[in-house]
Amino acid sequence: MQQPQTSHVVVVMGVAGTGKTTIGPLLAARLGVPYAEGDDFHPPANIAKMSAGTPLADEDRWPWLDAIGAWARGRAGLGGVVSSSALKRSYRDRLRAAAPGLVFVHLTGSRELIEDRMSHRQGHFMPTALLDSQFATLQPLQPDEAGVAVDVSGTPEEITERAARALRTLPEPA
């Protein structure tokens, strides 16, 4: 692995279909840090629920967010990238409580673009029917939250470059 270009621990966030699982590993490679797939932190009951088309309740998300937060805390000062929808401010607050230096890359795009991309995905447990609930739940990053919004139009390489460039505008963690 190359010398890390950042000591940030980055959460790649956004609604389903924005490309978290594609951009996350590309961004981690670009930054020279490890990547963790947020979906891998879900307990089996959550995956079963989502596969059945049932949105998760907050109670379902807390153990998942705590597991991601623990991974992020372990990467503090070392850098890393993890994917997580992190749609609500309360979810991001919970992640930051576990790992205070977290920064967020919010992948953003039109509902039409994201639905089109989701309709072409193979083997993913999140059906496009849940996209409306994802957009309804989404609370974009607030000015007091460390992070950047990155448009998901274009190729994965273009999106990754935009994200890396945007992250360079944030101060490195103390």
Side-chain angles (χ1 to χ4, degrees):
M1 185 172 280
Q2 69 189 31
Q3 182 67 23
Q5 296 180 25
T6 186
S7 57
H8 282 301
V9 180
V10 179
V11 176
V12 177
M13 64 167 283
V15 299
T18 51
K20 296 180 295 291
T21 299
T22 300
I23 303 306
L26 290 172
L27 183 60
R30 175 91 165 61
L31 299 175
V33 297
Y35 171 72
E37 170 54 55
D39 287 342
D40 293 345
F41 293 92
H42 272 298
N46 285 8
I47 292 172
K49 213 171 182 180
M50 289 183 286
S51 296
T54 305
L56 297 179
D58 285 353
E59 302 74 48
D60 300 316
R61 287 190 178 87
W62 300 139
W64 173 63
L65 291 167
D66 292 344
I68 291 171
W71 182 89
R73 185 176 52 253
R75 296 301 308 163
L78 303 170
V81 175
V82 62
S83 58
S84 169
S85 51
L87 297 178
K88 287 185 182 178
R89 171 72 186 245
S90 61
Y91 304 163
R92 297 188 298 272
D93 288 346
R94 191 163 182 126
L95 290 170
R96 275 191 297 270
L102 280 181
V103 297
F104 294 85
V105 170
H106 180 187
L107 299 178
T108 63
S110 72
R111 190 196 184 293
E112 295 72 29
L113 173 66
I114 294 165
E115 183 175 32
D116 180 63
R117 287 187 179 170
M118 284 182 79
S119 70
H120 294 96
R121 292 198 305 190
Q122 299 298 314
H124 196 274
F125 57 76
M126 178 68 82
T128 55
L130 290 183
L131 192 55
D132 286 332
S133 75
Q134 294 258 304
F135 272 104
T137 301
L138 176 64
Q139 295 171 344
L141 288 174
Q142 298 302 300
D144 65 329
E145 294 184 273
V148 294
V150 176
D151 180 69
V152 296
S153 58
T155 67
E157 294 73 23
E158 290 167 338
I159 299 162
T160 301
E161 180 53 36
R162 273 197 297 276
R165 201 170 41 244
L167 282 170
R168 286 194 294 270
T169 68
L170 299 177
E172 283 291 324

